[in-house]
Amino acid sequence: MSTRRFFLQSAAAALAATPARTAAFESRRPPLAQRKFTSDAVEAKIQQVKAALADPELAWLFENCYPNTLDTTVRYGTLDGKPDTFVITGDIDAMWLRDSTAQVWPYLPLARDDRKLRDLLAGVVHRQTRCVLIDPYANAFNFGPTGSEWSKDRTRMKPELHERKWEIDSLCYTVRLAHGYWKATADASCFDKAWQSAAALIVQTFREQQRKQSRGPYSFQRVTANPTDSLPQDGYGNPTRPCGLIHSAFRPSDDACIFPFLIPSNLFAVTALEQLREIHATVLGNQSFAEQCRVLGAEVRQAIDAHARAVHGVHGEIYAYEVDGFGNRLFQDDANVPSLLSLPYLGCCELDDPMYLRTRAFVLSDDNPYFYRGPAGEGLGGPHSGLGMIWPLGIITRALTSRDRKEIAACLAELKATHAGTGFMHESFSRTDASHFTRKWFAWANTLFGELILKVV
C-alpha cells in the first residue's frame, strides 16, 4: 500500500505542477503525402477524441501515437488475390507476429464501417498466416526471402526469417488477431484453407513443445556476448520435467527464459486455444479439431494450476513468472506483453480475480526485481534494456488493467512526463532521467498508448 500511495501522490504532484497550455501543439505525424496508409475512420476518431480531451498535451500525444502504425509501418497490397499487409515494428525493418497484432489491434472497432481499413486488417491476418506456414517457430519475418543479420544463428534459419526465436506468444497473437477481426467485422473469409492449415500447425507446435516424448525439433544458439540472446544445453534451454505446460525458449521481450515454462504465455495459450475452438466449432463446423483445442487447453490449464501457483513470502499465493516442473519457480514480471500484469487485458482472467489481484500487488511492488522507481517515474522494466529502465508498455498495461480512476490518471501523468518532448512513447526510459530512452520509433508502444486513451475517453 505504501508503494501505491507514493505512486498516486507523486503523480498528483506532477499533474498539479503541469502548467496550463492553451497553444496548439504541433503535430509530429508525417505529411499526408508521406503516410503509408490513411483511414477515414481513424482520422474521424482522432478528431473526436481530441475534442473530448481537456488536456491539450494528452490530445497531442494521442494524435501522434494512435495512427503511428498506419502512418509509418504498413506496406499494403494484394498477394494471390487476397489483401496483404506487412507491418514493421518501427526502427527495425521486420514484422514481428506479436508486435504486428498489437499495432493494429486498436483499429479493429473501426473496421466494420471502413472497408479500406477492414481490407488492411484482413491483410495482416493473411500475412501472418503465410508467416506461420513458413515457420511456426520464428518470431520475426522479412517482407521476402532477403535474409537477415541473424542468418548465422545455429537454428533452422530460412531467408524469409528475420529472427527465429521460439516464443509461445507469437502464435497466440496470430490467433488473437484473427479471432478479434472476425468478432469486430463478422467477416469469416480469412478462415480459408491456408489459415486452417496454420491453425493446425499452431496446435501441433504447442504439442511438440510440451516435450512429452522428446525435446522436439526446435533448438537455438547465437554466438553473442549477451547470454539472454542464446539458449543453454545445446540450444534446448534449461532442464524441465514434462507436466503438460508448453516450453517457450524466449520471452515476449525476445530474452531467453530461465525456466522454460513461461506462465503468462501458457495462460495466453489457453485463451488462444479457446478462441481456436470457438472458430472451428461455430464458423468452420470442424467439431473434431475444436475438441482437440478444448482438450489441449484444459490440459495446459490444469498444469498451470498444479505448477504455477506458488506461495510468496510476502504476497501469499500468486502466479510465478516461470517454472520448470521440478518445483523451481521464478518470482518476477516483465513489462513486455504477455506479462502477469497483462492477464486480464489478454482475456486470460477477470480484473477482480483474487489470484490476479495478489499477483498484481506483487508485480507493482519492490518485491519484483524488475519494478523500478526513481525521480523520473516508476514502473515495470525487464532485462532487455538494462537495469533501472522503465517501459511505457508497463505503465500503459497497468492503466489498461485498472478500474481505479486515480491510478489510471497517475499513469497518464507519468506518460505525459516521460516522452522527453518527442510526442511519442519509447521502448524504455531511465528511472532517473526520462531524456535517456531507447527506441525513438517503437510503434507497438505508440499504438497501445492510443488504445489506452480510447479506453479513458
Side-chain angles (χ1 to χ4, degrees):
M1 289 300 294
S2 60
T3 297
R4 183 175 180 277
R5 280 197 298 269
F6 178 88
F7 177 56
L8 296 178
Q9 290 166 1
S10 299
L15 281 171
T18 301
R21 304 193 189 192
T22 57
F25 287 83
E26 183 178 351
S27 172
R28 298 291 171 87
R29 298 178 66 185
L32 183 61
Q34 297 177 18
R35 295 173 191 172
K36 301 292 187 181
F37 186 90
T38 303
S39 159
D40 291 341
V42 169
E43 297 302 320
K45 179 61 69 173
I46 291 170
Q47 296 308 314
Q48 175 191 347
V49 171
K50 284 179 63 181
L53 290 170
D55 186 314
E57 187 168 4
L58 281 181
W60 175 63
L61 287 169
F62 177 77
E63 180 181 17
N64 294 333
C65 292
Y66 176 59
N68 185 244
T69 287
L70 299 181
D71 284 352
T72 67
T73 71
V74 299
R75 187 183 303 182
Y76 172 65
T78 59
L79 185 62
D80 298 330
K82 304 175 191 175
D84 176 63
T85 310
F86 189 80
V87 186
I88 66 171
T89 184
D91 52 16
I92 305 174
D93 190 24
M95 177 169 164
W96 266 256
L97 295 178
R98 168 183 55 254
D99 292 41
S100 58
T101 293
Q103 285 169 241
V104 302
W105 185 260
Y107 307 134
L108 286 174
L110 306 179
R112 187 183 289 265
D113 299 321
D114 185 334
R115 178 58 186 266
K116 183 181 172 184
L117 179 62
R118 186 162 73 250
D119 287 346
L120 175 128
L121 295 169
V124 183
V125 176
H126 290 307
R127 169 63 67 156
Q128 289 185 347
T129 295
R130 280 188 281 273
C131 289
V132 172
L133 292 174
I134 290 169
D135 188 347
Y137 284 104
N139 57 326
F141 294 79
N142 304 318
F143 184 69
T146 59
S148 83
E149 62 185 300
W150 307 120
S151 60
K152 294 183 179 179
D153 285 346
R154 295 171 181 172
T155 188
R156 297 177 186 174
M157 284 295 289
K158 298 178 181 179
E160 295 90 350
L161 309 185
H162 174 76
E163 193 173 47
R164 193 174 188 255
K165 288 182 172 178
W166 159 237
E167 301 162 6
I168 295 173
D169 69 279
S170 296
L171 299 183
C172 297
Y173 270 109
T174 68
V175 176
R176 175 176 169 83
L177 181 62
H179 182 268
Y181 172 82
W182 167 53
K183 288 292 188 179
T185 66
D187 176 13
S189 64
C190 61
F191 303 140
D192 56 16
K193 293 296 184 182
W195 185 88
Q196 292 174 52
S197 296
L201 192 54
I202 288 171
V203 172
Q204 175 186 318
T205 304
F206 285 168
R207 286 202 182 103
E208 287 174 351
Q209 288 307 311
Q210 287 181 302
R211 300 189 187 179
K212 291 180 177 179
Q213 282 78 41
S214 70
R215 294 188 297 184
Y218 176 82
S219 64
F220 181 97
Q221 288 183 304
R222 176 175 292 171
V223 177
T224 175
N226 183 2
T228 64
D229 263 343
S230 190
L231 295 178
Q233 307 303 324
D234 297 323
Y236 288 93
N238 285 319
T240 59
R241 174 180 287 161
C243 61
L245 291 170
I246 304 167
H247 292 71
S248 193
F250 292 88
R251 300 168 178 172
S253 62
D254 300 333
D255 294 326
C257 293
I258 295 175
F259 299 138
F261 295 138
L262 179 58
I263 298 309
S265 291
N266 270 266
L267 284 161
F268 196 12
V270 173
T271 300
L273 287 164
E274 171 55 28
Q275 291 167 342
L276 285 175
R277 185 209 62 76
E278 181 186 2
I279 292 167
H280 283 81
T282 62
V283 178
L284 300 174
N286 188 340
Q287 301 302 328
S288 175
F289 189 78
E291 179 63 9
Q292 291 180 45
C293 294
R294 186 198 67 77
V295 169
L296 180 56
E299 180 184 6
V300 176
R301 177 77 247 191
Q302 184 177 20
I304 291 169
D305 291 339
H307 297 276
R309 301 169 72 103
V311 177
H312 186 275
V314 175
H315 298 275
E317 188 182 43
I318 64 174
Y319 284 121
Y321 186 67
E322 293 173 357
V323 303
D324 64 359
F326 290 106
N328 296 304
R329 299 176 175 97
L330 181 62
F331 288 115
Q332 68 155 80
D333 201 15
D334 189 294
N336 282 264
V337 180
S339 59
L340 294 173
L341 183 63
S342 69
L343 294 177
Y345 168 74
L346 295 173
C348 301
C349 70
E350 298 297 327
L351 281 171
D352 56 359
D353 180 277
M355 186 73 175
Y356 171 73
L357 291 176
R358 291 192 300 271
T359 304
R360 179 187 179 90
F362 157 74
V363 168
L364 300 175
S365 78
D366 294 333
D367 296 313
N368 174 11
Y370 294 103
F371 181 79
Y372 303 123
R373 184 184 298 116
E378 72 171 47
L380 271 176
H384 194 73
S385 295
L387 298 177
M389 299 296 287
I390 298 169
W391 287 57
L393 281 179
I395 301 169
I396 297 167
T397 302
R398 180 177 186 174
L400 285 169
T401 54
S402 176
R403 289 196 179 112
D404 185 327
R405 297 169 71 91
K406 291 182 179 179
E407 184 176 28
I408 295 169
C411 291
L412 292 173
E414 185 170 359
L415 293 165
K416 273 180 55 179
T418 55
H419 64 84
T422 66
F424 293 99
M425 300 296 107
H426 304 126
E427 179 187 58
S428 66
F429 62 87
S430 170
R431 66 180 176 183
T432 62
D433 180 4
S435 66
H436 173 51
F437 60 81
T438 60
R439 298 192 68 179
K440 185 177 181 179
W441 180 20
F442 185 35
W444 180 9
N446 288 329
T447 315
L448 194 68
F449 173 80
E451 185 175 354
L452 171 61
I453 296 300
L454 289 173
K455 174 189 175 181
V456 169
V457 169

